[in-house]
Amino acid sequence: MSQRSEAGSDAKPGNRLTVVIAQLDFLVGDIPGNARDILEAARSAERVHGADVVVFPELCLTGYPPEDLLLRPSLDLRIQEALDQLMAAELDAAIVIGLPLREKGLLYNGAAVIDKGRITARYFKQFPPNYQVFDEKRYFAEGTEPCVVDIRGVPVGLTVCEDIWSDGPIESAVAAGAKLILNLNASPYDIGKQARRKALLERKAQANGISIVYANLVGGQDELIFDGGSLVVDQYGQVAMEAPQFSEGLYAVDFTHERHCQPVSQPLPEEPSLPHNIYSALVLGVRDYVNKNGFKSVVLGLSGGIDSALTLAIAVDALGADRVRAVMMPFRYTADMSREDASTQAKTMGVQYEVYSIEPMYDAFMQTLAEPFAGTEPDTTEENLQARIRGVILMALSNKFGAMVLTTGNKSEMAVGYSTLYGDMAGGFDALKDVPKTLVFELARYRNEISPVIPDRVISRPPSAELAPGQEDKDSLPDYAVLDQILNLYVERDYSAEAIIAEGYERADVERVTRLVDVNEYKRRQAPLGIRITERGFGKDRRYPITNGWKIGK
């Protein structure tokens, strides 16, 4: 049995319904602030677009994902206070919001329609996801009923995010009389996600003969990026409107309502290049993490290498040069070209730039350690000491000036442990944590197409940690082109070592790489958060035990 509301006011002249998608960036946990943003957006949608209904993203009232904030005793009180504020606002348009709803002691991921000062319909999400980064079954019960609400003479079916990826919710809403589907989303970004969304919506709309409004969240939340890209698809499966990715906005679509509820098509944006798409996600992720957590600025170690060069470009594009500080910390193994290239980029990008030699501190440590190290040969201990001294300097600047440390490790390094605990891993956020090394090069070249900020030889020279004489990354690792392909198969596609070898890769390389991935879980657990851009980032996506007896190859 479906949930239906009372009829709203008469349809617009000419049987037109104006739907405005509020593709906005909400702050998790700030229920009063989010309610204010909802009201401001609704009033703007009425004033600018003549909205009949304004559709907001999933759980917009709490932000997404609220995680264990949903378990706080005061949740229901705060939600009710926000609802009272929204109902008292005297809006002309109906608003459809996402929020936690409690019914008979159970909490649901829900949607509510507020119209003419009261809640006219409530819907409970039927398929709370529990895979990849999602953990909704920890908090939410499963809804079972469709909801169809009359909005200005149009029977509208409500669904929430995962409901549209599953069979049942849209079909039951259509069976209950819906002529238009509103789908509220907090769908996180990964490479290729927008294409998958379009394909799904086109199939669902065509199969059910109904237009679908897909309203998606935008913004960064810890490691997750919500990219917006809200869509409207007509009953024939054609995209009628596509909002930009990675930017906030109010996007209006007119519908004619006769036999069908048909959107008036709009010009579609050009398909962005993959590097543009990924780079935009990284910029948004850094901006929101820094700003939402109240940091005044960021500081990073600028080594003259490609990872720190790309991180600096992302930071400046995200925050502005006046909020970015770059520090070169040379040692006896630091090449002249590294010093020159770091200085050149810092000046080109207009950031605060300083040079602090770590030589005196290294010598002091080695003097202290001379007795216990007597009779031993230099090894990675001395290399790691250099990285840890640099980490101490950056953290001291962070503490003194309130600047968050941006680390610069990439996914390839994180995978195989090519990093130093309490050294180059010391910091608050890692923009490149889910970016393979080969993609780092591609993104650096893309950024230089916008304006040449990264010196060419930073991109063309062989990568090196410069922790030993003549050191290059290839001395310790397979070529990155090979390494990243093996990592893709092992980490993101769950191939066994034997299955990867069967794909044509050298047994020695595969066994070495898979072993390094397995034994370095303890490092990754202590790494800073980083932006997720793949379907299998290190963190919420991939949760392996540190202590285990699983054998590679099987």
Side-chain angles (χ1 to χ4, degrees):
M1 182 174 180
S2 67
Q3 305 170 42
R4 289 188 73 99
S5 79
E6 304 89 340
S9 61
D10 293 339
K12 279 179 134 181
N15 293 328
R16 292 180 80 85
L17 180 79
T18 299
V19 177
V20 174
I21 298 173
Q23 181 174 288
L24 301 179
D25 188 346
F26 294 94
L27 177 58
V28 165
D30 186 11
I31 295 173
N34 293 338
R36 289 192 296 271
D37 290 345
I38 289 168
L39 281 179
E40 182 180 345
R43 288 173 175 140
S44 180
E46 290 178 343
R47 183 176 63 254
V48 176
H49 300 291
D52 293 305
V53 56
V54 188
V55 187
F56 292 86
E58 177 181 15
L59 290 182
C60 59
L61 204 52
T62 57
Y64 191 95
E67 298 184 311
D68 280 10
L69 293 175
L70 293 165
L71 305 179
R72 298 297 301 171
S74 62
L75 174 71
D76 291 357
L77 175 62
R78 296 184 187 209
I79 292 294
Q80 189 57 54
E81 288 175 346
L83 284 174
D84 290 342
Q85 180 186 1
L86 294 173
M87 287 188 288
E90 298 182 354
L91 297 170
D92 292 328
I95 61 173
V96 184
I97 63 170
L99 74 168
L101 291 170
R102 198 174 299 277
E103 177 83 8
K104 296 180 180 178
L106 297 177
L107 191 65
Y108 295 89
N109 182 341
V113 179
I114 300 176
D115 197 4
K116 306 303 181 186
R118 61 196 181 94
I119 296 175
T120 58
R122 301 198 313 167
Y123 173 75
F124 302 147
K125 185 176 182 177
Q126 298 182 48
F127 288 92
N130 228 68
Y131 60 90
Q132 291 183 335
V133 300
F134 302 107
D135 198 17
E136 290 195 20
K137 290 186 179 180
R138 175 179 172 87
Y139 312 103
F140 297 119
E142 298 177 2
T144 58
E145 302 294 335
C147 176
V148 177
V149 54
D150 194 302
I151 300 177
R152 308 301 181 262
V154 178
V156 175
L158 303 181
T159 57
V160 177
C161 203
E162 191 75 10
D163 290 343
I164 208 165
W165 295 83
S166 305
D167 292 332
I170 287 184
E171 290 78 4
S172 60
V174 171
K179 299 298 183 185
L180 174 66
I181 296 293
L182 303 182
N183 183 246
L184 285 61
N185 291 271
S187 176
Y189 170 82
D190 62 59
I191 296 170
K193 186 69 167 286
Q194 186 71 347
R196 298 198 301 276
R197 292 177 188 134
K198 287 181 184 178
L200 171 76
L201 289 170
E202 290 166 2
R203 178 174 59 82
K204 282 285 189 177
Q206 188 176 36
N208 291 281
I210 194 166
S211 298
I212 301 173
V213 174
Y214 181 96
N216 196 26
L217 181 67
V218 69
Q221 174 58 33
D222 297 339
E223 66 265 53
L224 299 181
I225 302 299
F226 299 93
D227 55 317
S230 299
L231 296 158
V232 175
V233 178
D234 70 17
Q235 68 266 26
Y236 305 109
Q238 299 297 310
V239 177
M241 190 282 290
E242 181 178 0
Q245 289 179 279
F246 310 109
S247 61
E248 294 185 272
L250 299 176
Y251 302 98
V253 181
D254 288 330
F255 286 81
T256 59
H257 177 229
E258 293 176 357
R259 185 162 173 265
H260 295 285
C261 198
Q262 173 68 28
V264 177
S265 294
Q266 301 177 10
L268 301 178
E270 290 186 13
E271 192 77 23
S273 69
L274 182 60
H276 171 85
N277 194 249
I278 297 169
Y279 192 83
S280 299
L282 298 176
V283 168
L284 176 59
V286 170
R287 179 186 300 129
D288 265 12
Y289 191 83
V290 172
N291 290 340
K292 288 180 177 180
N293 285 290
F295 289 100
K296 296 180 289 187
S297 59
V298 297
V299 60
L300 61 92
L302 189 63
S303 67
I306 192 166
D307 296 313
S308 63
L310 180 60
T311 300
L312 178 62
I314 292 167
V316 171
D317 290 340
L319 305 169
D322 60 324
R323 297 178 65 191
V324 179
R325 183 177 194 169
V327 182
M328 157 61 86
M329 294 166 283
F331 188 58
R332 65 191 66 151
Y333 306 132
T334 303
D336 289 341
M337 75 170 69
S338 297
R339 301 171 193 248
E340 294 164 3
D341 290 343
S343 176
T344 297
Q345 184 180 0
K347 290 176 182 176
T348 300
M349 304 206 78
V351 300
Q352 181 179 351
Y353 179 66
E354 295 131 317
V355 179
Y356 302 119
S357 172
I358 67 168
E359 198 100 23
M361 286 164 277
Y362 179 86
D363 291 342
F365 271 107
M366 291 307 297
Q367 183 177 353
T368 301
L369 293 168
E371 183 177 347
F373 283 10
T376 65
E377 294 297 322
D379 54 20
T380 55
T381 306
E382 287 78 8
E383 296 180 15
N384 290 339
L385 182 56
Q386 299 166 48
R388 289 180 175 130
I389 291 169
R390 293 181 174 117
V392 168
I393 292 173
L394 291 174
M395 290 307 304
L397 293 171
S398 173
N399 292 160
K400 184 63 69 175
F401 299 105
M404 187 190 73
V405 176
L406 280 177
T407 62
T408 60
N410 60 67
K411 186 170 189 175
S412 307
E413 295 170 348
M414 288 294 104
V416 298
Y418 194 62
S419 53
T420 304
L421 275 175
Y422 327 120
D424 57 327
M425 291 174 66
F429 200 66
D430 184 354
L432 305 181
K433 184 176 180 178
D434 201 30
V435 181
K437 186 76 169 191
T438 49
L439 183 54
V440 169
F441 283 99
E442 188 174 353
L443 292 175
R445 288 188 287 268
Y446 162 76
R447 181 56 184 85
N448 274 359
E449 292 173 3
I450 301 172
S451 60
V453 295
I454 300 174
D456 287 340
R457 64 183 176 183
V458 171
I459 301 173
S460 61
R461 65 185 288 203
S464 171
E466 294 190 327
L467 298 174
Q471 184 183 59
E472 293 184 4
D473 290 4
K474 67 181 182 181
D475 299 333
S476 304
L477 299 169
D479 182 82
Y480 279 115
V482 174
L483 174 63
D484 284 352
Q485 292 173 23
I486 294 173
L487 291 174
N488 175 265
L489 294 172
Y490 189 60
V491 173
E492 298 187 33
R493 299 175 63 185
D494 279 332
Y495 277 40
S496 69
E498 292 298 332
I500 299 171
I501 293 165
E503 292 287 318
Y505 296 94
E506 294 292 332
R507 176 174 292 275
D509 285 342
V510 172
E511 291 184 349
R512 181 182 177 196
V513 170
T514 54
R515 179 184 176 279
L516 287 172
V517 172
D518 290 349
V519 301
N520 280 289
E521 181 66 25
Y522 79 100
K523 276 191 181 182
R524 291 189 292 272
R525 292 284 187 95
Q526 299 177 70
L529 286 176
I531 299 166
R532 172 189 185 266
I533 64 165
T534 71
E535 291 188 82
R536 204 77 184 276
F538 291 122
K540 291 184 178 182
D541 279 311
R542 192 178 189 275
R543 311 177 198 181
Y544 275 65
I546 295 171
T547 306
N548 75 85
W550 187 269
K551 303 301 182 185
I552 65 171
K554 300 298 183 182

